[in-house]
């Protein structure tokens, strides 16, 4: 009986140890084959996601505040100049707002508009502030890597009572020459007259359909100022054609500048508004005006249906 009991105990003990060893071996394989997040509760991914969301929200509000401060600081620095040039400054269309403080129209956290009127030769002037998208995490990183700058676009619509001489002039960067010409149908019949002008900003080209008008507009004094501030002037476009989105033929002036906050900005603004007055005084011979009008009428007839639809969309915008 003793031997029998011993054998039963030994077999039972061996069987139990075999089960334990088998369980340990199979459990080890299972744990190594199955990902950790399926075998036990882990909140690492959720925590990382929440941290990223919080960081993106922080960057959004911080970038939005930075852009707003930049625009209002620039406006405050140039407010005296605007008051000396315009009767109405910063109208946002809100008739219930009786505040005399100039008002900006915020299109997005990185796009602001500022409206002025009540000046000689100007029916309306719109300042568009195109800022870096500091409210976007990825755009902020891209801006840092590419060293992008804030820009101001000044769009001037001349008075209706002024009967402008029909001419088109554009000073544009060489690297954007093809895309700019393709985007503006009024430049189709212009020609490159850069070689006939000295002291133009480097890496720019001058297109015009009237050399006489270009000589009157781009005087030696203007070319000197542009050359001194060539890093800030992006493009200048003067036209009486409809390619810039007007419902009827008017003379318009559009200039794009790099946004700056020192005396250079004041000098450029004074030069631009002197240029507006000079544009209003341009006079061409009767023969030149007739030739340019015929050329523009021919250009309008040659427009494809796609270009016409694009012009309509631009007008609606």
């Amino acid at each position: 009986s003793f031997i029998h009991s011993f054998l039963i105990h030994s077999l039972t003990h061996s069987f139990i140890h075999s089960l334990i060893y088998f369980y340990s071996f199979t459990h080890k394989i299972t744990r190594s084959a199955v990902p950790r997040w399926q075998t036990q509760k882990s909140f690492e991914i959720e925590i990382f996601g929440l941290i990223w969301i919080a960081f993106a929200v922080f960057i959004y509000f911080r970038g939005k505040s930075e852009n707003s401060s930049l625009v209002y600081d620039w406006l405050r620095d140039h407010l005296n100049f605007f008051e000396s040039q315009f009767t109405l400054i910063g109208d946002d269309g809100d008739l219930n707002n009786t505040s005399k403080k100039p008002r900006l129209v915020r299109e997005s956290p990185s796009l602001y508009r500022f409206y002025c009127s009540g000046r000689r030769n100007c029916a309306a002037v719109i300042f568009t502030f195109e800022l870096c998208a500091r409210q976007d995490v990825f755009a902020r990183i891209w801006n840092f890597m590419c060293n992008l700058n804030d820009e101001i676009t000044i769009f001037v619509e001349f008075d209706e009572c002024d009967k402008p001489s029909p001419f088109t002039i554009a000073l544009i960067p060489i690297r954007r020459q093809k895309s700019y010409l393709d985007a503006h149908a009024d430049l189709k019949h212009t020609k490159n007259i850069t070689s006939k002008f000295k002291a133009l900003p480097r890496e720019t080209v001058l297109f015009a359909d009237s050399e006489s008008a270009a000589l009157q507009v781009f005087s030696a004094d203007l070319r000197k100022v542009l050359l001194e501030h060539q890093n800030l002037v992006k493009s200048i476009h003067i036209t009486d054609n409809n390619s810039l989105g007007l419902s009827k033929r008017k003379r318009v002036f559009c200039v794009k500048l790099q946004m700056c906050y020192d005396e250079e900005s004041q000098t450029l603004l004074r030069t631009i508004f002197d240029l507006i007055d000079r544009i209003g005084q341009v006079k061409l011979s009767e023969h030149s005006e007739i030739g340019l009008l015929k050329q523009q009428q021919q250009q309008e007839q040659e427009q494809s249906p796609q270009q016409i639809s694009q012009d309509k969309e631009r007008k609606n915008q």
Side-chain angles (χ1 to χ4, degrees):
S1 62
F2 174 76
I3 297 174
H4 182 72
S5 299
F6 177 77
L7 290 174
I8 293 176
H9 178 74
S10 299
L11 291 174
T12 305
H13 186 74
S14 300
F15 180 73
I16 293 173
H17 276 275
S18 298
L19 289 177
I20 295 173
Y21 177 80
F22 179 78
Y23 174 79
S24 301
F25 180 77
T26 54
H27 185 63
K28 184 177 181 180
I29 294 177
T30 304
R31 286 177 59 86
S32 62
V34 180
R36 181 181 177 184
W37 61 273
Q38 291 184 356
T39 59
Q40 68 180 42
K41 292 183 179 180
S42 175
F43 300 99
E44 294 176 0
I45 298 177
E46 290 82 355
I47 292 173
F48 176 79
L50 291 175
I51 292 174
W52 175 256
I53 293 173
F55 178 71
V57 171
F58 170 77
I59 290 296
Y60 175 83
F61 286 104
R62 180 180 176 82
K64 180 180 176 182
S65 176
E66 288 179 0
N67 282 343
S68 178
S69 299
L70 287 173
V71 174
Y72 279 102
D73 289 345
W74 188 93
L75 179 60
R76 184 176 60 251
D77 293 340
H78 298 81
L79 190 58
N80 292 334
F81 174 80
F82 289 135
E83 290 177 346
S84 66
Q85 294 286 327
F86 300 99
T87 303
L88 178 62
I89 303 173
D91 183 20
D92 59 359
D94 187 3
L95 300 178
N96 297 323
N97 193 338
T98 58
S99 174
K100 295 183 179 181
K101 181 180 178 181
R103 290 158 285 174
L104 289 167
V105 178
R106 189 181 69 188
E107 303 286 348
S108 72
S110 58
L111 182 64
Y112 291 78
R113 299 191 192 279
F114 182 63
Y115 174 85
C116 298
S117 66
R119 184 189 185 277
R120 184 184 61 178
N121 293 324
C122 298
V125 180
I126 300 176
F127 294 80
T128 302
F129 299 86
E130 300 174 85
L131 308 178
C132 297
R134 295 178 175 86
Q135 77 282 358
D136 189 315
V137 177
F138 300 104
R140 199 180 184 99
I141 297 173
W142 180 255
N143 295 340
F144 177 77
M145 295 173 60
C146 299
N147 194 24
L148 301 180
N149 299 303
D150 301 321
E151 293 182 348
I152 303 175
T153 301
I154 304 174
F155 182 87
V156 181
E157 181 181 333
F158 281 72
D159 291 327
E160 290 186 20
C161 59
D162 180 26
K163 294 182 179 180
S165 299
F167 64 86
T168 300
I169 305 173
L171 180 71
I172 56 180
I174 293 178
R175 64 181 183 275
R176 291 180 52 210
Q177 176 180 337
K178 186 179 184 304
S179 61
Y180 198 95
L181 294 176
D182 292 340
H184 296 85
D186 61 317
L187 299 176
K188 182 178 180 180
H189 292 284
T190 59
K191 55 184 178 180
N192 190 336
I193 59 172
T194 309
S195 59
K196 299 181 180 181
F197 286 81
K198 295 181 179 180
L200 284 174
R202 66 174 183 271
E203 298 183 359
T204 60
V205 287
L206 182 63
F207 283 84
D209 55 6
S210 171
E211 186 177 341
S212 174
L215 287 170
Q216 294 181 56
V217 172
F218 285 87
S219 63
D221 294 338
L222 174 63
R223 296 200 300 270
K224 182 180 178 181
V225 174
L226 293 179
L227 194 61
E228 292 176 354
H229 305 89
Q230 56 188 345
N231 294 328
L232 301 178
V233 180
K234 303 298 182 182
S235 65
I236 297 176
H237 192 165
I238 308 160
T239 184
D240 69 317
N241 214 324
N242 293 335
S243 65
L244 295 181
L246 299 179
S247 57
K248 58 181 179 179
R249 186 179 298 278
K250 290 183 182 179
R251 176 177 290 165
V252 295
F253 169 73
C254 185
V255 57
K256 186 181 287 289
L257 306 172
Q258 179 179 320
M259 197 169 175
C260 58
Y261 306 90
D262 49 17
E263 187 62 28
E264 280 188 301
S265 181
Q266 298 276 0
T267 304
L268 270 179
L269 281 178
R270 286 193 294 268
T271 302
I272 288 169
F273 283 96
D274 290 341
L275 176 59
I276 291 172
D277 294 333
R278 188 180 297 115
I279 293 170
Q281 298 170 2
V282 171
K283 298 297 181 182
L284 299 177
S285 65
E286 184 178 354
H287 177 72
S288 298
E289 288 191 5
I290 293 174
L292 291 173
L293 284 174
K294 288 183 178 179
Q295 183 175 305
Q296 290 181 357
Q297 291 173 358
Q298 180 183 357
Q299 174 188 333
E300 292 175 357
Q301 293 174 358
E302 292 176 354
Q303 276 190 317
S304 64
Q306 182 179 1
Q307 290 175 328
I308 295 174
S309 63
Q310 289 176 355
D311 290 342
K312 289 182 178 179
E313 290 178 2
R314 195 180 294 113
K315 291 172 187 177
N316 294 332
Q317 292 176 358

